[in-house]
């Protein structure tokens, strides 16, 4: 088991995914890595998102691309070989990576927080304001927040208020952790997150079932370790309490008031990653998040992705 855990260790931050969803967007044009996009640069460029299908960080990126009505191609990255990333970002091993190929060069933006900020700024979208209330401090997540770790937020977020930057950090320190311990909390639910492998067209029968079985067990172990680390007695109730506290912090329809702000998109992307899982059904049934989630869903609109990845066997 130790060997298996070490094998999957690079992917614990994300929901495990395999396969390619589209042809790679390769170009001979020079590539530069940045945290910003020029205004209007997305309108006449080839936009490609390198992702893991159920990764909460990748879902943040997709939510702002959809909200901004930017057509994009999804490339599903194989987390074992990372072959798709090696072709375009050989020095980088994480997702998401957003590639914007223009007339003169190709721009890459790495890290979900940077992508959210860059896309919304480039299209001049989203709320110009931000929340005035700080992220909630509740007993269930006391070991997570206030964060005892420091993390450089990046100069690209300097334009945001201190409170909104705090909310964005909260989404990674609290909400992502709660999602991990919930979707992998037992073998049955952990298995759900890997069901898409069983119908993924890019893999042989052996790799479909081997990946499904090993991923299910390893990520269940990861969830148990994190549950102990954060002293969570009831991970489901901790998620419900956190979502209710988030809703109580809204200032109108959204954290940003009448329009979503950057923090809203970060929260929405993370929650969107549990689409069709048992955790999603339970959080709607046992918390007050439904109203805000529906408003975000309406604001974001339908997907602008040119291709999609099936999330598992579909029931008749």
């Amino acid at each position: 088991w130790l060997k298996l855990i070490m094998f999957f260790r690079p992917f614990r931050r994300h929901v495990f995914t395999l396969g390619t969803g589209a042809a790679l967007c390769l170009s001979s044009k020079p590539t530069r890595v940045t945290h910003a996009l020029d205004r209007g640069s997305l309108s006449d460029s080839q936009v490609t998102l390198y992702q893991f299908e159920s990764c909460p960080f990748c879902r943040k990126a997709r939510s702002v691309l959809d909200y901004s009505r930017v057509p994009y191609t999804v490339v599903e990255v194989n987390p074992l070989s990372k072959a798709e990333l090696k072709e375009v970002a050989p020095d980088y091993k994480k997702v998401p990576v957003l590639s914007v190929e223009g007339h003169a060069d190709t721009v890459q933006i790495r890290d979900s927080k940077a992508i959210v900020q860059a896309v919304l700024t480039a299209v001049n979208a989203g709320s110009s304001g931000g929340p005035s209330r700080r992220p909630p401090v509740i007993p269930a997540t006391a070991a997570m927040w206030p964060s005892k770790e420091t993390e450089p937020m990046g100069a690209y977020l300097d334009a945001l208020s201190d409170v909104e930057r705090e909310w964005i950090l909260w989404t990674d320190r609290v909400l992502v952790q709660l999602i991990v311990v919930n979707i992998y909390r037992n073998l049955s639910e952990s298995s759900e997150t890997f069901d898409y492998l069983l119908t993924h067209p890019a893999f042989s029968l052996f790799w479909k079932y081997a990946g499904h079985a090993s991923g299910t067990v390893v990520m269940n172990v990861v969830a148990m370790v994190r549950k102990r680390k954060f002293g969570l007695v009831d991970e489901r109730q901790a998620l419900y309490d956190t979502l209710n506290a988030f809703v109580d912090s809204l200032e109108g329809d959204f954290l940003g008031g009448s329009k979503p702000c950057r923090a809203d998109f970060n929260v929405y992307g993370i929650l969107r990653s549990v689409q069709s899982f048992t955790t999603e059904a339970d959080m709607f049934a046992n918390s007050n998040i439904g109203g805000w989630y529906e408003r975000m869903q309406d604001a974001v609109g339908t997907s602008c992705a040119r291709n999609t990845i099936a999330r598992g066997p579909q029931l008749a």
Side-chain angles (χ1 to χ4, degrees), residues 7-314:
F7 185 69
F8 285 101
R9 187 176 182 180
F11 324 120
R12 291 184 303 173
R13 187 183 176 206
H14 309 289
V15 179
F16 186 86
T17 13
L18 291 172
T20 54
L24 293 179
C25 179
L26 301 180
S27 172
S28 59
K29 297 174 183 176
T31 298
R32 57 188 175 93
V33 179
T34 184
H35 288 128
L37 292 168
D38 296 332
R39 292 281 174 92
S41 61
L42 292 169
S43 60
D44 58 352
S45 299
Q46 177 67 39
V47 179
T48 305
L49 181 67
Y50 295 84
Q51 66 146 36
F52 295 162
E53 168 59 20
S54 296
C55 161
F57 304 99
C58 300
R59 285 293 175 138
K60 294 181 190 182
R62 288 174 61 174
S63 72
V64 293
L65 290 169
D66 294 337
Y67 178 79
S68 304
R69 312 316 299 161
V70 175
Y72 59 97
T73 300
V74 171
V75 173
E76 192 71 7
V77 174
N78 184 326
L80 299 181
S81 66
K82 296 211 171 64
E84 297 79 6
L85 277 183
K86 289 176 183 176
E87 296 287 350
V88 295
D91 60 327
Y92 195 69
K93 297 181 179 180
K94 297 179 182 179
V95 290
V97 171
L98 186 69
S99 173
V100 181
E101 182 181 349
H103 297 298
D105 65 1
T106 298
V107 170
Q108 272 186 21
I109 304 180
R110 304 166 176 180
D111 182 81
S112 61
K113 296 185 289 293
I115 293 172
V116 169
Q117 175 69 356
V119 171
L120 292 179
T121 301
V123 299
N124 196 27
S127 172
S128 58
S132 61
R133 301 171 186 169
R134 296 188 179 278
V137 178
I138 63 174
T141 59
M144 303 177 188
W145 192 265
S147 177
K148 298 176 178 61
E149 302 176 36
T150 58
E151 176 181 304
M153 293 295 287
Y156 52 87
L157 295 178
D158 284 350
L160 304 182
S161 69
D162 290 343
V163 176
E164 187 160 14
R165 287 199 300 272
E166 206 170 299
W167 270 105
I168 293 171
L169 182 60
W170 176 88
T171 65
D172 287 353
R173 289 283 184 260
V174 177
L175 198 54
V176 167
Q177 303 304 324
L178 287 174
I179 291 299
V180 168
V181 298
N182 273 277
I183 64 175
Y184 301 121
R185 67 176 184 158
N186 55 49
L187 290 176
S188 175
E189 292 188 47
S190 186
S191 175
E192 287 180 340
T193 70
F194 298 99
D195 279 350
Y196 76 94
L197 283 177
L198 302 179
T199 55
H200 203 292
F203 289 86
S204 68
L205 190 65
F206 170 79
W207 281 113
K208 287 177 182 180
Y209 282 93
H212 185 281
S214 58
T216 294
V217 173
V218 169
M219 292 309 296
N220 175 241
V221 172
V222 169
M224 291 190 291
V225 170
R226 292 194 183 183
K227 182 178 178 179
R228 286 196 297 269
K229 174 184 176 181
F230 295 120
L232 295 173
V233 177
D234 184 340
E235 65 277 2
R236 270 296 201 266
Q237 191 59 51
L239 177 62
Y240 305 151
D241 291 347
T242 297
L243 294 178
N244 288 337
F246 167 77
V247 171
D248 289 343
S249 300
L250 299 180
E251 301 179 39
D253 287 341
F254 308 100
L255 277 179
S258 60
K259 294 172 63 177
C261 65
R262 274 61 170 167
D264 282 296
F265 286 106
N266 278 269
V267 173
Y268 179 72
I270 292 168
L271 296 183
R272 189 68 172 165
S273 70
V274 304
Q275 181 185 6
S276 79
F277 299 160
T278 301
T279 297
E280 181 189 53
D282 287 352
M283 78 178 189
F284 287 143
N286 296 283
S287 78
N288 300 324
I289 197 64
W292 171 87
Y293 190 93
E294 289 179 3
R295 292 191 294 273
M296 281 298 300
Q297 205 166 17
D298 290 341
V300 169
T302 57
S303 174
C304 288
R306 297 186 179 92
N307 58 312
T308 57
I309 308 298
R311 291 177 73 89
Q314 301 298 309

